[in-house]
Amino acid sequence: MGEFELIDRFFRRDRPASRQVALGIGDDCALLAPAPGMQLAVSSDMLLEGRHFLSTVDPARLGHKALAVNLSDLAACGARPLGFTLSLALPAVDESWLAGFAGGLFALADEHGCELVGGDTTRGPLAISITVFGEVPPGQALLRSGARDGDDLYASGTLGDARLALEVFRGGLAVPAPLFELARRRMEQPTPRVALGQALRGIASSAVDVSDGLLGDLGHVLRRSQVGATIWAASALPLLAAREQADGVAGLPEATQLEFVLAGGDDYELVFTAPAAQREAVAAAAAASATPVTRIGRIEAQPGVRLLDGEDRELRGRFASFDHFA
Ligand code: ADP
Ligand code: MG
């Protein structure tokens, strides 16, 4: 099968063009048409076999994740998804793999009305690069630079479960099968918080999505905003969904659980700040987007991150988050 037949078979779809796509796959360029006056939000993320996913991963889950991590960046900016491009390097044409991958990819794309508008296909070691395009009203994008002293600090959904799955895959941890399935699903099929991000426009003062770990990604916000933060361990720890499973995390020390929550990575949740006066508006945004949100701390003028236990004592420990070049 040649390159063009492959694109036609697996990635080109016969469906009515959406409002935002004036021209899709097949020409030298795609033409996108954001609503008049909107700003275009653009983000890219690449996934490499061996570094970002295991060769054994289910292709449908991989298709989902490749797009999910990109949609998560749009979510963190409060942008509405419009479309995306897909650049693929494939070692060989494996039709059942391609069908599975495209199935997972398009299921998530359709959920968000985000259309595949082009890309590139080449032979090589398995690599997937996606660029997403979204729209946001001028001046309303959620930025990393807006956190202020006194703001509340929030996290969406659950944190740390993907890291738990990774530890099991690496052989460093054994957990009951149902718990592993839950954690593995979080790692392989993250949920980008697209509706929450848009609902937080005009409410949140800053936002970031958690790809490398809560502390690391929050650190970007703190540096850009020139502030610090206190996190309450007692509020953050329950975010590990695995804790809700009967004897799910038995035998796993609380310090390890906390490390998964704070520095786990691969969560694709939103961490955001908002003035205390916006508490009701944050709760309404969470309800409107059917996304759980937890207040986990506070922004302060003093730089750095302080972690407090239930008795307001400072916890110390190395909760490094993931850096590809560290
Ligand atoms: P060009 O050589 O002009 O860059 P290509 O021959 O690479 O164009 O691609 C032909 C068309 O197919 C283009 O519209 C391109 O965007 C699209 N395309 C190529 N690979 C993919 C892919 N993996 N997914 C979606 N569209 C693709
Ligand atoms: Mg090309």
Side-chain angles (χ1 to χ4, degrees):
M1 182 184 322
E3 177 187 336
F4 301 107
E5 197 192 336
L6 184 158
I7 296 164
D8 267 357
R9 266 215 29 217
F10 296 103
F11 297 113
R12 201 173 174 140
R13 304 161 89 199
D14 286 320
R15 55 213 300 269
S18 47
R19 184 273 288 165
Q20 68 265 23
V21 179
L23 184 64
I25 292 174
D27 216 300
D28 294 308
C29 290
L31 299 174
L32 287 184
M38 296 291 248
Q39 284 181 334
L40 202 55
V42 183
S43 184
S44 283
D45 257 310
M46 180 158 70
L47 297 182
L48 298 180
E49 181 175 350
R51 177 149 284 269
H52 302 95
F53 60 90
L54 307 166
S55 61
T56 51
V57 70
D58 170 43
R61 290 190 181 187
L62 185 60
H64 172 104
K65 183 164 180 176
L67 182 58
V69 303
N70 279 279
L71 288 173
S72 180
D73 284 314
L74 288 185
C77 281
R80 184 176 96 85
L82 296 174
F84 67 104
T85 61
L86 168 69
S87 295
L88 266 182
L90 299 168
V93 177
D94 176 340
E95 295 190 25
S96 85
W97 188 94
L98 277 163
F101 178 84
L105 180 85
F106 285 129
L108 185 65
D110 291 348
E111 216 179 284
H112 293 281
C114 189
E115 208 171 310
L116 178 60
V117 297
D120 200 20
T121 308
T122 172
R123 194 179 286 271
L126 185 56
I128 305 153
S129 176
I130 287 181
T131 298
V132 278
F133 302 88
E135 64 182 14
V136 63
Q140 288 189 38
L142 305 176
L143 305 180
R144 296 176 175 189
S145 52
R148 296 291 173 261
D149 182 15
D151 282 358
D152 293 324
L153 176 65
Y154 297 88
S156 69
T158 65
L159 291 168
D161 300 287
R163 171 65 182 281
L164 191 147
L166 182 65
E167 291 297 330
V168 174
F169 271 118
R170 282 174 173 167
L173 191 66
V175 296
L179 171 57
F180 177 56
E181 259 323 299
L182 174 150
R184 176 181 190 170
R185 200 160 267 281
R186 286 287 297 153
M187 178 174 85
E188 294 179 350
Q189 285 194 296
T191 305
R193 301 301 189 180
V194 174
L196 176 65
Q198 290 171 82
L200 288 172
R201 291 199 305 238
I203 297 169
S205 50
S206 74
V208 69
D209 68 315
V210 181
S211 50
D212 299 331
L214 167 63
L215 288 182
D217 290 311
L218 173 63
H220 300 307
V221 169
L222 300 182
R223 274 187 297 278
R224 288 290 191 88
S225 303
Q226 297 187 289
V227 290
T230 284
I231 296 175
W232 310 307
S235 303
L237 191 57
L239 294 182
L240 187 70
R243 286 170 68 88
E244 282 172 20
Q245 298 260 317
D247 19 276
V249 289
L252 199 58
E254 278 212 346
T256 306
Q257 297 179 34
L258 193 59
E259 190 191 332
F260 288 2
V261 169
L262 295 178
D266 243 8
D267 300 297
Y268 302 100
E269 294 293 352
L270 297 186
V271 164
F272 61 96
T273 61
Q278 297 282 13
R279 269 179 210 170
E280 276 178 27
V282 168
S289 58
T291 310
V293 154
T294 307
R295 189 151 59 90
I296 58 166
R298 190 176 48 232
I299 297 299
E300 291 156 352
Q302 186 191 346
V305 176
R306 291 151 294 283
L307 190 61
L308 298 187
D309 70 8
E311 273 85 56
D312 279 358
R313 282 184 309 238
E314 196 164 330
L315 288 169
R316 299 201 176 269
R318 222 180 78 81
F319 294 109
S321 89
F322 195 72
D323 176 343
H324 281 285
F325 294 98

